[in-house]
Amino acid sequence: MKYLLFEFLLVIFFVYIQCEITYIEVKYPLKGKRSPPNAVWPHPQQINISNDLLYIRPNDLAVYSNLQTCDIIAKAIERYKPIFFPPTLDMKQPSSNMENILQNLTLNVKGNIQCEKYIELNSNEAYNLTIKQKFALVEAYSVWGLLRGLETFSQLIYINEQNYIVINSSVDIIDSPRFRHRGAMLDSARHFLPVSIIKKNLDVMSYNKLNVFHWHLVDDQSFPFESKTFPNLSRAGAYSPDHVYTPDDVADIIEHARLRGIRVIPEIDTPGHTFSWSKSMPELITVCWTHGKPYQSIYSIQGEMEIFNPSEPRVYSTMDALLREIHERFPSNYIHLGMDEVYDKCWLSNPNIRQWMVDNNILSTKNLHKYYADQILDITRNISVTPIVWQDVWDEHVELPPGTIIQVWKDSSDNIEFSSWASYLNRAANEGYNVILSSPWYLNYISYGKYNTDTSVMNLEFFKYYEVEPLRHFSGSSEAKERILGGEACLWGEFVDGTNLLSRFWPKAAAVAERLWSAASINNSEDAQFRLDVHRCRLLRRGIPAQPILNGYCGNYDLGMSKSMINHPLFNYDNPIWTETIAPSSARSFASLSSSSSSRMFNYKLYHIVYLILSLFFVYFCRK
């Protein structure tokens, strides 16, 4: 019977948050410094922590704030409850006579106290986090800094070997982002991405302190964005009526991002990548010719029709109306206009366009692209929107409006006809343009998971993204350097949909997040691999199926195991439950949840009771 009791206790309490990566072969031991179980990612600018620990009573941590009535803070406090206290893991209560207990957490805005509604490019995300004398304090000059500090605080909490929830007893962190624009780009046109998956990706972006969701909404393959002005675009251009983002869907995603300090920047890519428009507005699209016949496709050269027709006036009236609608529906004052990969063979094949070019003294397709770009950029001026463009239109010497952001995506490593991304970055910033970098961070390019160099065979895939230094070869003035706003990790959707987006993107995108947040001196990949592994296991405990970076394990909450949280309702949005925020007057205790959350937690607690009973019977009959 004593063995039975012992093994039953093991079933109940063996949930210590373990994680470990190990060598690919014994002869290749891993280099670098191993990390504690609460290593922070991305690494703060300054951090000093003690080895001594405080205990935290499960589901009983009071959180105070001088912005408690702000919906962003009130909902964040609620949202972090299952993050602080993982819902499937059993946690021991400290005894009543213990004195080293964390008493509470306070989130305070200093100076001008206001609940800003939307984060902006120049919002202040800096924060200080201190823990001393059994009290934790996050201070910031904005609500966005409080969110970043709350995330760091959540990462410091862990379950120790005795299954107590603990945190360092002395912490002093001073932190702020290195770059203002820290983004992730998703492509929802080549494969439709369910709203629930986009929202989970926004969650994990916030766990990595990214602050821009660049949403590539439409492309050749489909037009899933439901326009109120032109509803036929999605009716005819979406894959099906189910593969559409309704106005409510878009508003839901924007709100989900807003509460996490993330801007949503939509991209409507033209004049190329527009075949899906032809399903409802064929008059906008260029008809391709060959051998004197229209609607002729040539494999790898042109389709029967593709790319906007710059000589058609209805192109500009349609774009004017659509961009005005986009501006009204997306609170960010930025619209990405695309303007990349304008393949000119179809234009040149069309005799009507060639004649129009002659009549208007347009001598080349580059000048034709410039003509189109000038008209669209004039629209953005008229509606007071800041445009973002892929670098192609700048390469063709289009004069862009002041404040335009150029997104650099070309690189000599991708195509020998291109220059290095560093030279593009230098030139654009020195010409007075704001710039964001994506060239080295196309995460849709996948590989085995490691690569060899002359000095090592253990270079993990994320090293390629982590070791990028955006300013390494920058030669401009300090003023020009300020125009390098940051960068984006991009995940193009040719081979990505809801089944693999989160595992394909994470934790590789976390490498980009640290590069854009942390100091340039935080660049040791061998050390970072251990911190990233800790962070990857942390993501699993938050319901994110982040892929492994190397051999090893996280714990009994790995995907498919008894304590997995990947499909836990607290971390998923397949059946959204809309609730109004009720802001408390003073403190929000984690002892209580909303009624909807409570019912879901009851079901999971019942599940674990049944699981433990079955485990008891299993051990008993095995002994017999």
Side-chain angles (χ1 to χ4, degrees), residues 589-601:
S589 171
F590 282 134
S592 63
L593 293 171
S594 68
S595 59
S596 59
S597 298
S598 297
S599 62
R600 286 181 284 167
M601 284 301 296

Side-chain angles (χ1 to χ4, degrees), residues 487-498:
E488 289 181 0
C490 297
L491 191 68
W492 294 102
E494 289 90 347
F495 306 101
V496 175
D497 67 4

Side-chain angles (χ1 to χ4, degrees), residues 187 189-193 221 239 443-446 491-505:
D187 168 10
R190 290 176 173 88
H191 281 99
F192 181 83
L193 302 175
Q221 293 76 13
Y239 286 133
L443 304 194
N444 48 291
Y445 292 153
I446 59 175
L491 191 68
W492 294 102
E494 289 90 347
F495 306 101
V496 175
D497 67 4
T499 64
N500 64 346
L501 183 151
L502 294 169
S503 58
R504 178 71 57 84
F505 211 27

Side-chain angles (χ1 to χ4, degrees), residues 252-322:
D252 188 19
I253 289 168
I254 291 171
E255 176 67 1
H256 198 84
R258 179 186 78 86
L259 292 170
R260 288 153 181 78
I262 297 171
R263 292 186 292 148
V264 181
I265 296 179
E267 179 182 353
I268 305 295
D269 193 0
T270 67
H273 298 278
T274 50
F275 182 74
S276 61
W277 299 59
S278 69
K279 310 285 182 63
S280 61
M281 294 183 167
E283 67 275 10
L284 306 184
I285 309 301
T286 303
V287 174
C288 307
W289 289 58
T290 188
H291 303 305
K293 296 179 181 180
Y295 299 100
Q296 301 297 304
S297 64
I298 304 174
Y299 184 76
S300 81
I301 302 297
Q302 65 188 34
E304 292 183 3
M305 56 190 303
E306 63 175 75
I307 199 166
F308 272 180
N309 181 348
S311 69
E312 172 54 63
R314 285 173 291 184
V315 163
Y316 306 108
S317 60
T318 300
M319 284 297 292
D320 184 286
L322 183 62

Side-chain angles (χ1 to χ4, degrees), residues 92-370:
K92 293 171 65 174
Q93 282 282 358
S95 62
S96 57
N97 59 358
M98 279 187 176
E99 294 185 356
N100 54 334
I101 304 290
L102 182 68
Q103 299 300 305
N104 61 53
L105 166 66
T106 300
L107 309 170
N108 278 351
V109 168
K110 299 187 290 185
N112 183 19
I113 300 173
Q114 58 177 320
C115 181
E116 300 169 57
K117 189 169 184 180
Y118 293 102
I119 192 169
E120 298 177 356
L121 174 65
N122 294 317
S123 291
N124 187 343
E125 298 175 85
Y127 69 91
N128 294 347
L129 168 58
T130 57
I131 301 177
K132 59 182 179 182
Q133 298 177 349
K134 306 175 191 175
F135 293 93
L137 172 65
V138 176
E139 290 186 305
Y141 285 101
S142 76
V143 65
W144 317 116
L146 292 186
L147 286 183
R148 308 308 178 221
L150 179 60
E151 173 57 35
T152 297
F153 176 82
S154 75
Q155 295 187 14
L156 292 173
I157 296 173
Y158 68 103
I159 300 175
N160 70 4
E161 293 179 355
Q162 293 76 41
N163 288 104
Y164 290 108
I165 306 171
V166 296
I167 194 168
N168 307 84
S169 63
S170 177
V171 174
D172 189 4
I173 292 175
I174 301 173
D175 201 12
S176 60
R178 183 182 177 202
F179 291 101
R180 291 174 281 169
H181 185 116
R182 307 179 308 282
M185 191 227 72
L186 297 183
D187 168 10
S188 64
R190 290 176 173 88
H191 281 99
F192 181 83
L193 302 175
V195 172
S196 59
I197 298 297
I198 292 176
K199 290 167 79 170
K200 285 194 75 165
N201 195 70
L202 290 167
D203 288 349
V204 68
M205 286 175 63
S206 71
Y207 303 152
N208 289 273
K209 299 185 174 74
L210 294 177
N211 65 359
V212 175
F213 170 34
H214 170 180
W215 192 356
H216 185 84
L217 271 168
V218 299
D219 212 293
D220 281 331
Q221 293 76 13
S222 75
F223 199 108
F225 174 73
E226 184 180 320
S227 166
K228 297 177 182 179
T229 311
F230 303 108
N232 284 338
L233 282 170
S234 60
R235 286 175 187 160
Y239 286 133
S240 81
D242 294 320
H243 295 82
V244 169
Y245 300 107
T246 67
D248 285 345
D249 290 334
V250 172
D252 188 19
I253 289 168
I254 291 171
E255 176 67 1
H256 198 84
R258 179 186 78 86
L259 292 170
R260 288 153 181 78
I262 297 171
R263 292 186 292 148
V264 181
I265 296 179
E267 179 182 353
I268 305 295
D269 193 0
T270 67
H273 298 278
T274 50
F275 182 74
S276 61
W277 299 59
S278 69
K279 310 285 182 63
S280 61
M281 294 183 167
E283 67 275 10
L284 306 184
I285 309 301
T286 303
V287 174
C288 307
W289 289 58
T290 188
H291 303 305
K293 296 179 181 180
Y295 299 100
Q296 301 297 304
S297 64
I298 304 174
Y299 184 76
S300 81
I301 302 297
Q302 65 188 34
E304 292 183 3
M305 56 190 303
E306 63 175 75
I307 199 166
F308 272 180
N309 181 348
S311 69
E312 172 54 63
R314 285 173 291 184
V315 163
Y316 306 108
S317 60
T318 300
M319 284 297 292
D320 184 286
L322 183 62
L323 291 178
R324 287 179 187 276
E325 178 187 345
I326 294 285
H327 183 39
E328 290 175 1
R329 291 176 57 184
F330 286 82
S332 171
N333 202 43
Y334 296 79
I335 298 178
H336 203 302
L337 301 174
M339 297 191 179
D340 65 315
E341 297 180 325
V342 179
Y343 303 124
D344 58 8
K345 302 297 184 184
C346 184
W347 277 346
L348 290 173
S349 77
N350 187 297
N352 300 319
I353 290 181
R354 290 202 308 270
Q355 184 59 52
W356 184 87
M357 291 171 66
V358 171
D359 294 344
N360 289 272
N361 197 31
I362 296 176
L363 304 179
S364 68
T365 53
K366 281 193 175 183
N367 286 336
L368 183 59
H369 189 198
K370 181 180 184 303

Side-chain angles (χ1 to χ4, degrees), residues 28-49:
Y28 300 127
L30 299 181
K31 302 175 183 178
K33 181 181 179 182
R34 293 186 177 270
S35 296
N38 61 345
V40 176
W41 192 284
H43 197 284
Q45 303 295 337
Q46 298 180 39
I47 178 170
N48 291 293
I49 59 175

